[in-house]
Amino acid sequence: MISLSVASVGLAGSLTLIGVGGGLYEFSVVDVAWPQRPDLIQPVRGGISRRRFWIPAHVAFELAQIAALIITWHQPDIRFWLLIAFTSHAVMRLWSAFDFIPKALAFERADPAEFDAAAARRWSNRSRLRLPLDLLTAAAMLAAFAIAVTIA
């Protein structure tokens, strides 16, 4: 039988990897194309809605991560890695909230005739700088999972 610690950390770790995959897809497929075609990220013009993926993905991960922290709080080796994951994810989310998300929303609302493709390319290039934080979060979650499995 799988312990609650293993299950909670495993779920949070899996959700982390979904977020990393979404980020890789976004900057390797979507961000390559949309600066030349802003309608691709404008839902009102038939483009994708990034919110439909990112809001549920982040909420699910964050709730699972908090649950894993609560469940494993008494296990310092697991807690250490979960707190590293929590911190790196929080830094990435705060950076996104105050920098990337407002600009992304502005690009989504921009009139294609007045769209600044150079600013969009700069945003896309800077957005890739969030990947190391996502990878740190994923690595810490995997370390926590490995310890949880070893302890169980």
Side-chain angles (χ1 to χ4, degrees), residues 5-57:
S5 295
V6 172
S8 65
V9 175
L11 175 62
S14 298
L15 292 168
T16 302
L17 296 175
I18 289 171
V20 169
L24 290 172
Y25 174 78
E26 192 168 280
F27 81 69
S28 63
V29 176
V30 177
D31 289 353
V32 171
W34 76 263
Q36 294 80 30
R37 290 213 30 226
D39 60 307
L40 290 176
I41 57 139
Q42 296 178 329
V44 297
R45 292 184 174 80
I48 64 168
S49 172
R50 294 179 187 206
R51 285 176 247 211
R52 294 182 82 184
F53 174 78
W54 287 115
I55 290 174

Side-chain angles (χ1 to χ4, degrees), residues 4-152:
L4 191 54
S5 295
V6 172
S8 65
V9 175
L11 175 62
S14 298
L15 292 168
T16 302
L17 296 175
I18 289 171
V20 169
L24 290 172
Y25 174 78
E26 192 168 280
F27 81 69
S28 63
V29 176
V30 177
D31 289 353
V32 171
W34 76 263
Q36 294 80 30
R37 290 213 30 226
D39 60 307
L40 290 176
I41 57 139
Q42 296 178 329
V44 297
R45 292 184 174 80
I48 64 168
S49 172
R50 294 179 187 206
R51 285 176 247 211
R52 294 182 82 184
F53 174 78
W54 287 115
I55 290 174
H58 283 302
V59 168
F61 167 66
E62 290 156 4
L63 291 174
Q65 187 183 43
I66 290 167
L69 266 167
I70 291 168
I71 291 166
T72 63
W73 191 257
H74 65 284
Q75 298 169 301
D77 292 340
I78 299 172
R79 181 178 64 223
F80 171 79
W81 290 107
L82 290 178
L83 288 173
I84 288 175
F86 182 86
T87 302
S88 62
H89 183 72
V91 167
M92 186 278 301
R93 293 285 282 147
L94 286 169
W95 184 17
S96 294
F98 291 103
D99 184 21
F100 290 101
I101 294 170
K103 290 178 178 122
L105 294 174
F107 288 131
E108 285 181 12
R109 290 187 300 265
D111 181 351
E114 300 172 8
F115 191 78
D116 186 351
R121 280 190 298 279
R122 284 191 305 274
W123 182 93
S124 293
N125 289 334
R126 278 190 20 257
S127 180
R128 292 179 182 185
L129 296 174
R130 293 182 290 178
L131 181 62
L133 289 169
D134 285 337
L135 292 175
L136 176 59
T137 301
M141 290 302 302
L142 291 174
F145 181 69
I147 293 167
V149 167
T150 303
I151 291 172

